[in-house]
Amino acid sequence: MNSRIRYLLIMLIFVVSAVVYIDRSNISIAGTYLAADYHITKPQLGWVFSAFLLGYAAFQIPAGWVVGKLGPRKTLTYGLIWWSALSVATALVPPGMTNALWVLIAVRFVLGLGESVAYPSSNQFIAAWFPTQERGKANGWVFGGVGLGSGTAPPLVAFIIYNYGWHAVFYISAVIGLVIAAVWYRLARDTPAEHPSVTAEEKAHILAGMPLKVEGAMPPVPWLKIFTSRDVWGVTLAYVAFGYVAFIFHTWFFIYLKDGRGLDLKSSALLGTLPFIAMTTCCLLGGVISDWLVAHKGQYVGRSLFGAFTLFLSAIFLIIGSHAQDTTVAVLVLAGGAGALYLGQATYWAVAADFGGPFTGVISGLVNMGGQIAGAATASLTPLFASWYGWETAFYIAAGVCLVCIIPWFFVNPDRRLHIAEEVTA
């Protein structure tokens, strides 16, 4: 096939996804220094982390509706500008002002509102640009950016803090976001039909693998069907485990290495990249495996059973890794747990795109809301569990959440669609 514009654009979303997680991870890495300046405790720092995730979770469903109306091109552009502005605002909150902690919490909450559009936009884009049999790989690339951003952040942020101070971390993050916003708006289009570089051959290939045509304005949203769907709630509940475990790594893993394992900033930054390298690698690999299983064993095996297996595997790694006495062994095994978790990342989003069609953004927002609420719980509960019972118990609890959330996957039928093709005209 001469034209593969869809893969060029999904690589650009891969970069956008990396920017999202640099913006998230920077505060956890700079957190120790920020907490010292603001004279706040670790539980209070957890409130700051949770504020972002609560804002992010609260706006997930509205964000899906917005992307359905505006399209992923404009929505992601506006989102990147928003994130950049609020990153700067994080660094501008004066530590000496009255109620500085609550102002910082408010800034991070509003940043979370803006970042909520990221993954509903990316999945709406995939629903319009990728046939069903390629959606695992496409989502693998999108969420591979999570690992890239989170893995890039520790050494990058450590370097910036050492040389320029923690405030500069947020200024540089903002500049990166604005540059990517300009590139995305210049190159992206909402549908293949709108892009001048897409050939007739590529358009035909995409349309041939579409469960539902996704073009034009989003039809009226069938809210009742969405909120009463066993499949939507099954994926959402399974994604609770994903969010709970993922955000231990995104918010507390660096501090766990520094305080729980006694490593200095440089050593923590180096070892702290390992889970995110595993996330990136396994996210890309998992999308390929899921698509292969769909092609050879069917949707239920390739999406539902594979998703359940990755949660089980992650739980085993977390239990073994948290118990390891040697720090290097512990980090390597825990990184394996992060990687196993991300093997299944693409399955949640591929099911949402196949099921939702033109309503993919809305359904993706609902699914992601479940994960982000769990992530907010992680951000606040993990330091409490660690201080009360030790870090080992905090990871055991995460493993238990994984094992419980395997169950909903068994009730998800990935072959079902929200509407049959005749009911939805786009």
Side-chain angles (χ1 to χ4, degrees), residues 1 6 125-138 192 200-214 291 294 299 303 350 353-355 357 360 414-415 417 421:
M1 187 178 297
R6 64 192 186 282
F125 176 86
I126 287 171
W129 277 83
F130 283 82
T132 298
Q133 68 272 19
E134 296 178 6
R135 288 176 179 174
K137 291 189 288 290
E201 185 182 8
E202 184 172 15
K203 287 178 188 175
H205 173 76
I206 294 169
L207 289 173
M210 286 282 179
L212 293 173
K213 188 179 181 183
V214 182
D291 282 350
V294 166
Q299 291 268 350
R303 306 298 191 214
D354 285 349
F355 181 77
T360 293
D415 289 306
R417 303 290 177 256

Side-chain angles (χ1 to χ4, degrees), residues 231-376:
D231 302 298
V232 171
W233 285 111
V235 175
T236 301
L237 291 172
Y239 205 60
V240 164
F242 186 95
Y244 191 95
V245 175
F247 280 97
I248 287 182
F249 291 96
H250 292 306
T251 56
W252 286 109
F253 194 71
F254 182 82
I255 293 172
Y256 157 69
L257 293 178
K258 190 170 183 293
D259 294 350
R261 292 285 179 171
L263 300 180
D264 60 22
L265 179 62
K266 288 182 179 179
S267 299
S268 297
L270 178 62
L271 287 176
T273 62
L274 294 180
F276 305 111
I277 293 171
M279 288 177 185
T280 304
T281 304
C282 291
C283 200
L284 298 174
L285 179 62
V288 173
I289 293 172
S290 180
D291 282 350
W292 185 90
L293 288 171
V294 166
H296 293 84
K297 302 294 182 180
Q299 291 268 350
Y300 187 72
V301 173
R303 306 298 191 214
S304 298
L305 294 187
F306 181 65
F309 171 73
T310 61
L311 288 179
F312 175 77
L313 192 61
S314 182
I316 298 303
F317 274 111
L318 291 175
I319 291 168
I320 295 172
S322 61
H323 188 66
Q325 298 302 308
D326 182 82
T327 296
T328 302
V329 172
V331 172
L332 287 171
V333 178
L334 289 171
L341 186 75
Y342 272 76
L343 272 176
Q345 170 73 294
T347 60
Y348 305 90
W349 298 83
V351 171
D354 285 349
F355 181 77
F359 311 109
T360 293
V362 173
I363 294 170
S364 300
L366 176 59
V367 172
N368 205 22
M369 182 178 69
Q372 302 310 313
I373 291 172

Side-chain angles (χ1 to χ4, degrees), residues 83-267:
W83 314 336
S84 298
L86 269 295
S87 287
V88 171
T90 301
L92 294 180
V93 177
M97 75 179 295
T98 304
N99 295 321
L101 171 62
W102 296 106
V103 174
L104 187 61
I105 286 171
V107 168
R108 297 303 292 183
F109 180 84
V110 177
L111 173 60
L113 292 179
E115 283 208 4
S116 66
V117 303
Y119 296 111
S121 294
S122 69
N123 214 25
Q124 186 72 43
F125 176 86
I126 287 171
W129 277 83
F130 283 82
T132 298
Q133 68 272 19
E134 296 178 6
R135 288 176 179 174
K137 291 189 288 290
N139 274 298
W141 278 105
V142 170
F143 291 99
V146 171
L148 176 66
S150 300
T152 301
L156 176 64
V157 171
F159 174 81
I160 294 169
I161 290 172
Y162 265 121
N163 290 280
Y164 306 106
W166 71 262
H167 295 80
V169 169
F170 298 95
Y171 301 141
I172 292 171
S173 295
V175 171
I176 294 171
L178 292 174
V179 170
I180 299 302
V183 174
W184 168 256
Y185 188 78
R186 172 69 181 84
L187 296 180
R189 298 294 185 273
D190 291 331
T191 65
E194 297 170 356
H195 204 291
S197 300
V198 176
T199 64
E201 185 182 8
E202 184 172 15
K203 287 178 188 175
H205 173 76
I206 294 169
L207 289 173
M210 286 282 179
L212 293 173
K213 188 179 181 183
V214 182
E215 279 187 5
M218 182 175 64
V221 179
W223 295 107
L224 182 61
K225 286 190 175 183
I226 290 172
F227 281 104
T228 56
S229 168
R230 184 177 73 184
D231 302 298
V232 171
W233 285 111
V235 175
T236 301
L237 291 172
Y239 205 60
V240 164
F242 186 95
Y244 191 95
V245 175
F247 280 97
I248 287 182
F249 291 96
H250 292 306
T251 56
W252 286 109
F253 194 71
F254 182 82
I255 293 172
Y256 157 69
L257 293 178
K258 190 170 183 293
D259 294 350
R261 292 285 179 171
L263 300 180
D264 60 22
L265 179 62
K266 288 182 179 179
S267 299

